[in-house]
Amino acid sequence: MSILEAAEHLQISAAAIRALRDAGYLEQIRRKNPDTNHQRALITLKSVEKFESRFETIGQIATRIGVRPMHLAKRLDEDGIEPVTTMGRLVRAYERDVVG
């Protein structure tokens, strides 16, 4: 899936998808369009499924419990629940067993 499709599926921004990719949480492959010979970067479905089995994004949690992501982020911060570690970028994805 494209970066934008992955972002929509995980309910986070494309920049967050890139940060997760750069930190090794998501795997990217390159495919060549046979008509244009142009390379496309795609996030593998397997890596998205693996990520979702362990983590949940702020958007997914907010949708599941029926609150706005902004309010949920504040509550998680106040509770001291840390998001996943990426290289200097804040990506609001949390371990499933921590946020329940």
Side-chain angles (χ1 to χ4, degrees):
M1 64 178 52
S2 72
I3 289 176
L4 293 177
E5 290 169 332
E8 184 177 329
H9 177 78
L10 292 174
Q11 299 180 13
I12 56 176
S13 69
I17 294 293
R18 288 184 191 98
L20 290 170
R21 176 202 61 199
D22 294 346
Y25 291 102
L26 298 173
E27 181 185 348
Q28 176 178 291
I29 57 172
R30 295 205 173 267
R31 292 284 186 246
K32 185 164 75 167
N33 182 330
D35 296 331
T36 63
N37 284 334
H38 197 264
Q39 294 269 338
R40 276 193 75 185
L42 301 170
I43 303 297
T44 65
L45 185 57
K46 184 178 178 181
S47 71
V48 171
E49 290 170 349
K50 183 179 175 184
F51 179 81
E52 283 187 301
S53 70
R54 188 169 167 211
F55 301 101
E56 195 170 14
T57 66
I58 192 87
Q60 291 171 322
I61 299 167
T63 299
R64 179 171 47 87
I65 64 174
V67 299
R68 295 189 54 116
M70 176 178 65
H71 300 298
L72 177 59
K74 183 178 179 182
R75 188 166 51 190
L76 291 171
D77 289 345
E78 288 171 353
D79 291 345
I81 299 174
E82 295 289 322
V84 298
T85 304
T86 57
M87 296 175 227
R89 260 194 159 142
L90 177 64
V91 174
R92 293 214 177 253
Y94 301 88
E95 294 214 29
R96 285 187 179 275
D97 54 348
V98 173
V99 293

